[in-house]
Amino acid sequence: MTSVDVSIDHFQARARRRVPRLFFDFVDGGAGRESALARNITRLNDIQMIPRAPRDIADRSSAVTLFGQDYALPVGIAPIGLANILWPGMDLALAKAARKANIAYVQSTASSSLIEDIAPAAGNMGWFQLYTSKDDSITEDLLTRAETAGYRTLVVTVDVALPGKRRRDLVNGFALPMKMGPKFASQLITRPVWLRAALGQPVPRIVNLQRYAPATGAQSLAAFMAAQISPSVDMDQISRLRDRWKGPMVVKGILHPQDAEMLADRGVDGVIVSNHGGRQLDCAIASIDALPAVVRAVGTRMEVMMDGGIRTGEDIARALALGARFVFAGRAFLYGMAATGRADAAINVLADEFDRALGQLGCRRVSDLSSAQCQGVG
């Protein structure tokens, strides 16, 4: 660990100084006033935990097993669209780092790297995230490609039927491909480290949809994806996907316990309690506040996971104590690589912090964490 590997917050601040503003804001920003984005973080921080002592915590383990797969940590890398825009080569580097560290990596349909390229890099740590298309043949082909590539766990995202209004992107004029003008050029010139890393690298684009789109330009691909995401996904479609996919299937973007119950009735193996990182509905409840009710409703019937606002090892402990079996983070891993150029930077910080939190709370195993240790839960 180096002097800059202090925390995810330090990575975020350093990434802001190294990455062109419109690209940093695309990743860092949220919908509307960014209230949901802030609420994810503040509500986690509001939860206080009660350590138990004295306890023998010399022999600790952060390992967990999920869907029959062993992981070194109960935290994985969430699906992230166009991650390569924040730092060149991000997708592939994170997939390789996840495999080396033995943590889960979820590849997004909107990734700027091909399914077929990321799967072997992630190995048995790889999951595939699906945005269902209005065109069933596209959805079917994406599933077939994911199966052929070797992905075992499918994550179906259901909270993007309509796009969020992200004001930072509108103010910055964010679009793909970026039009080279004085404002954009000045941003590149003032970010020489990013510019050197980007030289010779392909322009980030939603490459997994290229074969289905009528045109191949980066802008048309982004527009094509936005037009193709189905606003008609319902429980019946989830049932059809459940019948189609032979491995574990998870639904991401659940905040209401009754929705989780209906998904359990349809045979879904897990849910990720999530408000899409505050990037969709600005008035949405914080993920951590929605978690306990979902756990009470379906925690004995399916695996309940969570994402949204995870920035520290103690955040991971908070979510697990409140019943999550696993958590995911997105921005934290992006900040880490953009700040340091190393894909393992955030992994190392979160692993160290979670181990410290586990021991300081008097727990030897992840399963020892308890809601009885939590105060300030909404």
Side-chain angles (χ1 to χ4, degrees), residues 114-138:
L114 287 169
I115 294 169
E116 293 79 5
D117 292 338
I118 294 298
N124 58 357
M125 295 295 103
W127 300 18
F128 178 69
Q129 178 269 338
L130 174 73
Y131 286 119
T132 55
S133 173
K134 294 176 182 177
D135 185 337
D136 289 343
S137 68
I138 294 177

Side-chain angles (χ1 to χ4, degrees), residues 339-355:
T340 67
R342 301 191 338 269
D344 65 350
I347 297 174
N348 294 339
V349 165
L350 291 176
D352 172 67
E353 290 181 350
F354 180 66
D355 174 67

Side-chain angles (χ1 to χ4, degrees), residues 21 51 54 167 196 226 228 257 268 280 319 356 365 368:
R21 176 181 172 181
R167 297 181 184 177
R196 284 196 299 272
Q228 279 297 313
V268 172
Q280 288 295 101
R356 292 171 189 259
R365 303 289 182 266
D368 294 339

Side-chain angles (χ1 to χ4, degrees), residues 90-130:
M90 179 83 76
D91 292 327
L92 188 60
L94 287 180
K96 290 179 178 178
R99 184 176 187 176
K100 183 176 180 180
N102 204 42
I103 70 168
Y105 175 88
V106 189
Q107 184 184 8
S108 172
T109 297
S111 166
S112 36
S113 300
L114 287 169
I115 294 169
E116 293 79 5
D117 292 338
I118 294 298
N124 58 357
M125 295 295 103
W127 300 18
F128 178 69
Q129 178 269 338
L130 174 73

Side-chain angles (χ1 to χ4, degrees), residues 285-296:
I285 185 174
S287 298
I288 194 65
D289 286 333
L291 176 64
V294 174
V295 170
R296 288 192 296 270

Side-chain angles (χ1 to χ4, degrees), residues 52 59 82 94 154 248 276 314:
R52 301 301 307 274
D59 179 23
L82 290 172
L94 287 180
L154 175 69
H276 213 92
E314 291 183 15

